Amino acid sequence: MKNLVIVESPAKAKTIEKFLGKDFTVKSSYGHIRDLAKKEMSVDIDHGYEPEYEIADDKRKIVAELQKDVAAAEQVWLASDEDREGEAIAWHLQETLKPDPARTRRIVFNEITKPAILHAIENPRTVDMNLVDAQQARRVLDRLVGYEISPILWAKIKPALSAGRVQSVAVRLIVEREEEIKAFVPQSYFRITAKFKAGQDTLTAELSRRCDTEEEAAALLNRLKGATFEVCSTETKPTHRTPAPPFTTSTLQQEASRKLGFSVARTMQIAQQLYESGHITYMRTDSVNLSDTALNMAKTEIAALYGQRYVKTRRYQTKTKGAQEAHEAIRPTHMDKHTVDEDPSQRRLYELIWKRTVASQMADAELERTRMEIAATSPTLDSQFECVGEQLLFDGFLKVYIESTDDEMETTGESQATLLPRLAVGAKVAMTACDATQRYTQHAPRYTEASLVKKLEDLGIGRPSTYAPTISTILKREYIIKEDLQPESYNYVRLGLQDKTTTREVRTEKGIAEKNKLRPTDIGSVVNDFLMNNFNEIMDYNFTATVEKDFDDIADGKKQWRSVIDKFYKPFHRNILLTQQNSHRSTGARLLGTDHKSGKNVYAKIGRFGTLVQIGETNSDEKPRFASLKKGQSIETITIDEALNLFNLPRTVGTFEGSEVIVSIGKFGPYVRLGNKFYSLGKNDDPYEVTCERCIEIIETKRSAEAAKEKLKELYPHEIGILDGSPVVSNIGKYGPYLSHKGNNYRIGKNTDPLKITLDEAKKTIEASSTKKSARKK
């Protein structure tokens, strides 16, 4: 073998292989081949925080094959991704496979295209140990934090919990936002809008101030009866809108969430597929820079599609706090390719990237903005209305792309900009109607995945490679949940003035639905409170951002990674020891009231196995009673009646065949018991509300299924015939119908009747299966 190229992904290997000649063999390591051992801390604190790596069990076969390939190759090219994680993969390959340094080269590229690959091979380098050390520092520090804090959480809250340097801060953001929402008290105000007429023209304007009370709004409307109005000022000036810069990792995640409804993890998965197929540049970057090649491609494409007037070459500067390696922004590798022949998700994300990139190199949109003020001619009325109009003169980049915004963007209170009639100052206008509509101030919106990424980036917490795994981790560990919140209906007052007559009516409308919002669970809130009380430095936003800056300095060769870890670990470990000795058990207990039967206190709290309700005191002589909370119930919101209802199990719902039908919850979930037989309830059956009729239906359905199964047992195994001197038998097993021959089993199609299959059909199935097995072995 002349040249061996090793990458981390089989899809990437497949694409690169198309660009290199027959002298090159491309193999995949399938990600990291070794990592810190999972069962131990695997960091030798007494010897400079030396990491103790091991090859994963599922990678041993891959490593063995790569070692053979390395030994046979004249030249080895380590071609993993260009970021810190990719550099670490290259270093681990070098350390594990031990190729001859004289014939080993490290190559990097920002896009998987033939020119980029050939350029990389012409300009090889060695492994950058500064980047490797930055990745090692992150890995070691995160292992130290998780490995030392997690056992404290198990002892003080409940088993199977974990903490992380970035994930815990992300949970803190969500918990604090939820607490802010709970503490929020909406304030009522009245928004005043009026319709005016000037000749044949009509326009809508809003009062420049708001009324705090209904009485104030009603009094204003009464004063406006019969008032005359005129235009007191008008201003028209040109304005423009500029396009957003090309995508970084975080802005792609945010925009894909807004426009396509993709989760952060899904966006990164699809972007990786597009990158490895050669469609886009590297997808983990915080740079908005475009190469000269990309700028020229965009310029040519825009001129060809829309004309020279739409071209405006721009060079954006990266402003992200703590931006790291100077990669390119995420862009198409070929600007003349407007879409890709891939699955719908890849196609939609690619088209979003193409539009954003092309729009960033297009001319500004040109607009004419008019602001008009209308006031009562009587100065005593103190009523000045404003309206804003906007006219698009040249669409520019808007022809291709309009950036979305989060629901966190503040509203200005201005009426929607429309085209206004041209009126001179002093022109008389007649008020045809005026409304005072009650509105309420809104709490800060809950985070979505996209807005959480934006907040983390603004605070300098995490990096392009960490946003998606951080959110996936806290969702998986159920510290937070993602859900749609249905809006509640509310009443509001609407006062009207028309033809000198005022009206008042109370209307009802629904609030705005909240989609894909992140909320803390009870466990998430309790863990956050415990960490805030005992590890406030770890939870501090500035501290977490400072650690990220330290990693950047290590990557730039400005700091030594072991000294950064040592500076962090010594005070951190002292705090660990103090917390183990001095902290109390944290349950998030909330007193709900008293049990009307026993008179004992009733609490909602965190127990060793999750959220529960407790009747009685933990430290009393009499053992307290416990019941688990139902799905959807929360320590914060459960009522005393709902809590006491949880103790109604087991409950007898009726009788059937002379025996009691009893419903309860066991080790494997809710069930029905009839005599000494147990039947699982369905997913949608609530054990606290299920009826006797429904229980009987479940029992009879289960009996019918068991009877049918017993009948099948009488028909199987079924002998089909003799093949090569041995019987061929059909049967039905746990995973469906199958054939048996000479001690081997062969799966057959679910739609194939095992009793009707012929010997010839069975022979074909056996031969086809044997051929597949041989191919897999080769």
Side-chain angles (χ1 to χ4, degrees), residues 4 8-9 28 48 61 72 81 95 117 290 292 305 433 528 627 658 668:
L4 172 66
E8 65 273 72
S9 151
S28 169
K61 188 176 178 182
D81 291 338
E95 291 291 297
I117 303 299
L290 291 177
D292 290 338
L305 290 171
N528 178 74
F668 303 107

Side-chain angles (χ1 to χ4, degrees), residues 510-639:
K510 276 192 171 185
I512 300 171
E514 296 185 84
K515 291 191 173 182
N516 295 321
K517 295 294 184 175
L518 303 177
R519 297 176 67 193
T521 60
D522 290 329
I523 295 289
S525 296
V526 171
V527 169
N528 178 74
D529 291 345
F530 182 84
L531 293 175
M532 289 294 292
N533 290 332
N534 296 284
F535 298 96
N536 58 332
E537 186 179 36
I538 291 285
M539 299 294 284
D540 182 74
Y541 298 134
N542 290 329
F543 170 79
T544 310
T546 301
V547 171
E548 294 291 350
K549 181 66 171 62
D550 286 339
F551 293 156
D552 295 341
D553 289 342
I554 294 167
D556 293 336
K558 297 175 183 175
K559 287 185 178 179
Q560 205 277 333
W561 78 270
R562 296 175 198 271
S563 62
V564 168
I565 299 296
D566 192 59
K567 181 183 174 184
F568 161 82
Y569 181 72
K570 285 179 178 176
F572 167 72
H573 186 64
R574 284 196 297 271
N575 193 18
I576 287 285
L577 298 176
L578 288 171
T579 304
Q580 285 174 332
Q581 295 170 5
N582 303 328
S583 64
H584 300 290
R585 181 164 166 73
S586 182
T587 63
R590 173 174 162 248
L591 178 62
L592 305 179
T594 56
D595 175 23
H596 57 270
K597 291 180 181 177
S598 64
K600 295 176 180 177
N601 286 337
V602 180
Y603 302 92
K605 58 188 280 190
I606 302 287
R608 303 294 292 172
F609 303 104
T611 51
L612 55 83
V613 174
Q614 173 182 315
I615 297 177
E617 303 299 330
T618 303
N619 299 322
S620 66
D621 294 335
E622 190 177 345
K623 189 177 178 181
R625 295 167 60 205
F626 303 99
S628 296
L629 267 63
K630 294 195 290 185
K631 187 177 181 181
Q633 289 182 327
S634 163
I635 291 174
E636 286 290 325
T637 58
I638 191 170
T639 65

Side-chain angles (χ1 to χ4, degrees), residues 273-426:
Q273 292 166 350
L274 290 171
Y275 166 69
E276 290 176 347
S277 299
H279 297 310
I280 63 171
T281 53
Y282 192 55
M283 66 285 160
R284 281 189 276 274
T285 175
D286 43 25
S287 171
V288 291
N289 181 50
L290 291 177
S291 66
D292 290 338
T293 302
L295 293 174
N296 290 330
M297 283 195 298
K299 182 178 179 180
T300 302
E301 193 63 18
I302 293 163
L305 290 171
Y306 310 113
Q308 196 61 40
R309 189 186 173 190
Y310 283 86
V311 175
K312 184 174 182 179
T313 301
R314 304 168 192 267
R315 292 185 182 274
Y316 293 92
Q317 296 297 315
T318 301
K319 298 177 183 177
T320 303
K321 190 176 181 179
Q324 57 184 59
E325 298 92 342
H327 299 152
E328 245 192 297
I330 302 169
R331 63 164 176 84
T333 53
H334 299 94
M335 298 291 183
D336 57 353
K337 187 185 284 188
H338 302 176
T339 188
V340 290
D341 186 20
E342 304 289 353
D343 69 50
S345 295
Q346 290 184 48
R347 187 164 60 247
R348 291 173 71 201
L349 190 66
Y350 177 85
E351 289 171 0
L352 185 70
I353 294 167
W354 183 89
K355 288 175 182 177
R356 175 82 164 223
T357 307
V358 168
S360 74
Q361 300 305 310
M362 292 178 70
D364 291 352
E366 297 172 9
L367 307 100
E368 185 178 77
R369 189 175 178 86
T370 302
R371 180 181 290 274
M372 189 181 295
E373 294 181 347
I374 298 170
T377 53
S378 171
T380 60
L381 287 178
D382 183 27
S383 55
Q384 187 166 292
F385 291 82
E386 293 181 356
C387 52
V388 176
E390 208 168 67
Q391 183 178 8
L392 183 64
L393 304 177
F394 172 62
D395 54 3
F397 75 93
L398 295 177
K399 184 179 279 291
V400 174
Y401 183 83
I402 301 175
E403 185 181 21
S404 300
T405 57
D406 284 321
D407 52 9
E408 292 189 37
M409 300 299 286
E410 294 181 2
T411 55
T412 61
E414 294 177 343
S415 55
Q416 189 175 358
T418 56
L419 190 61
L420 296 180
R422 294 190 178 276
L423 299 174
V425 173

